[in-house]
């Protein structure tokens, strides 16, 4: 099968540009072909029996990261599978914002709430070996995957099962808390791609339409207890609720509230400092 034939198989699932990117990612990762190899027709040399299992899954809309069993995050590669959210490149920017704020070479006690694959915690551990990092999630599957990724990354991270909506007081004394909690309202489903809706875990994505800040309120309330004085709270947020997030912090008298745009220019991140 040619590169074009493979791309054409994904018509209806992705637009033309996205289909090319997905197939290229498959060929580069699973079959170790360079872009030059692909352009020169190397895909035609791959036995169809080797390609078909991947293409059948992709043609059903399954994200290429699940098909390959891995996703890139910054300069690390993580194992992912259905049941855990696929890390997004924007979220890596949140990690960088934390390290810029706290300091790369500082000793700091960091908590990652809702770790999923462990992407945030592992990225921070790689960038800042002086950090002591704890990561939590409520999903047993996510915790298993995070533990495996921590082991593969060769870093030390404490993994704890905990509900982001009811964090235990036994977890405290942190210099910074970071979280990418569920923040997409159900009313936004119609704007989302099918491969996200049908494959990625809804519990990691969606919140009720009448309570869009559900997780932010709970985590902010907990952070008032779990953070040291002067500690930082970092969130990835839904841009349509940025003003509500600022108000949430202001009402609780948090200091140094700041908004940061992501690589696409959307107001995607917010931080604030505990008085």
């Amino acid at each position: 099968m040619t590169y074009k034939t493979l791309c054409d198989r994904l018509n209806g699932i992705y637009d033309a540009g996205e289909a090319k990117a997905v197939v290229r990612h498959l060929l580069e990762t699973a079959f170790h072909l360079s872009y030059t190899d692909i352009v020169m027709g190397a895909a035609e040399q791959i036995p169809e029996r080797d390609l078909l299992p991947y293409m059948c899954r992709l043609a059903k809309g399954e994200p290429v990261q699940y098909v390959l069993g891995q996703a890139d995050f910054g300069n690390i590669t993580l194992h992912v599978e259905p049941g855990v959210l696929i890390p997004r490149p924007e979220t890596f920017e949140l990690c960088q914002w934390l390290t810029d704020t706290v300091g790369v070479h500082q000793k700091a006690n960091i908590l990652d709430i809702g770790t999923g694959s462990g992407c945030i915690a592992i990225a921070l551990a790689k960038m800042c070996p002086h950090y002591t990092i704890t990561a939590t999630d409520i999903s047993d599957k996510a915790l298993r995957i995070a533990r495996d990724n921590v082991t593969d990354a060769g870093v030390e991270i404490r993994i704890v099962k905990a509900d982001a909506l009811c964090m235990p007081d036994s977890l405290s004394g942190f210099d910074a808390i970071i979280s990418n909690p569920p923040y997409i309202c159900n009313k936004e489903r119609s704007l989302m791609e099918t491969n996200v809706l049908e494959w990625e875990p809804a519990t990691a994505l969606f919140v009720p339409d009448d309570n869009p800040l559900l997780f932010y309120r709970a985590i902010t309330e907990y952070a008032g207890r779990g953070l040291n004085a002067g500690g930082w709270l970092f969130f990835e947020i839904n841009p349509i609720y940025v003003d509500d997030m600022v108000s949430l912090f202001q009402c609780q008298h948090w200091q140094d509230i700041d908004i940061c745009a992501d690589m696409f220019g959307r107001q995607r991140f917010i931080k604030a400092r505990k008085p």
Side-chain angles (χ1 to χ4, degrees):
M1 289 184 283
T2 67
Y3 178 44
K4 182 179 184 304
T5 301
L6 294 171
C7 295
D8 289 344
R9 281 176 172 256
L10 301 185
N11 285 342
I13 304 295
Y14 303 101
D15 62 34
E18 234 182 332
K20 288 180 180 179
V22 168
V23 173
R24 177 179 169 183
H25 186 43
L26 169 68
L27 295 173
E28 289 176 340
T29 304
F31 298 97
H32 311 293
L33 299 183
S34 68
Y35 180 63
T36 301
D37 293 333
I38 295 169
V39 171
M40 296 300 292
E44 299 173 39
Q45 308 304 316
I46 302 173
E48 191 168 325
R49 65 178 180 275
D50 294 337
L51 273 170
L52 277 179
Y54 293 106
M55 294 305 302
C56 287
R57 292 174 66 182
L58 290 173
K60 292 177 182 177
E62 185 172 358
V64 66
Q65 293 90 344
Y66 288 157
V67 172
L68 293 168
Q70 66 181 58
D72 294 329
F73 188 70
N75 59 355
I76 58 178
T77 300
L78 302 162
H79 170 66
V80 294
E81 59 187 74
V84 68
L85 194 69
I86 297 169
R88 266 62 173 183
E90 304 97 293
T91 305
F92 186 71
E93 296 180 83
L94 180 63
C95 299
Q96 293 175 309
W97 201 26
L98 183 150
T99 61
D100 289 344
T101 303
V102 175
V104 174
H105 303 292
Q106 297 296 316
K107 288 186 177 181
N109 196 11
I110 311 294
L111 174 63
D112 170 25
I113 297 178
T115 195
S117 64
C119 59
I120 289 175
I122 293 169
L124 292 175
K126 285 285 192 180
M127 289 189 285
C128 306
H130 297 297
Y131 288 1
T132 299
I133 300 172
T134 301
T136 70
D137 208 288
I138 195 172
S139 164
D140 289 327
K141 187 167 191 178
L143 291 169
R144 172 182 60 79
I145 292 170
R147 288 189 182 101
D148 289 344
N149 280 327
V150 166
T151 299
D152 291 343
V155 295
E156 296 218 0
I157 295 169
R158 180 188 179 198
I159 305 289
V160 178
K161 184 173 184 178
D163 185 349
L165 295 176
C166 189
M167 291 292 291
D169 289 339
S170 57
L171 291 176
S172 62
F174 296 101
D175 300 302
I177 295 174
I178 185 170
S179 183
N180 177 21
Y183 59 66
I184 302 172
C185 288
N186 283 301
K187 64 185 178 183
E188 297 178 77
R189 285 176 179 265
S190 62
L191 304 175
M192 299 178 66
E193 296 178 350
T194 303
N195 62 330
V196 175
L197 285 173
E198 294 186 356
W199 290 95
E200 297 199 59
T203 54
L205 291 169
F206 296 106
V207 288
D209 291 342
D210 61 354
N211 198 2
L213 303 187
L214 172 65
F215 284 89
Y216 296 102
R217 288 195 180 93
I219 294 172
T220 301
E221 180 182 346
Y222 158 73
R225 307 186 304 273
L227 275 175
N228 295 326
W232 290 93
L233 178 54
F234 293 82
F235 282 129
E236 182 168 327
I237 62 174
N238 189 332
I240 65 177
Y241 294 111
V242 63
D243 291 337
D244 299 283
M245 286 299 305
V246 171
S247 295
L248 174 63
F249 280 129
Q250 288 176 335
C251 288
Q252 297 186 19
H253 307 292
W254 287 71
Q255 300 175 349
D256 300 323
I257 303 166
D258 194 12
I259 307 294
C260 183
D262 65 16
M263 63 181 73
F264 304 108
R266 296 177 293 217
Q267 292 181 308
R268 180 66 65 187
F269 315 114
I270 191 169
K271 71 177 179 180
R273 188 167 58 86
K274 179 182 173 181

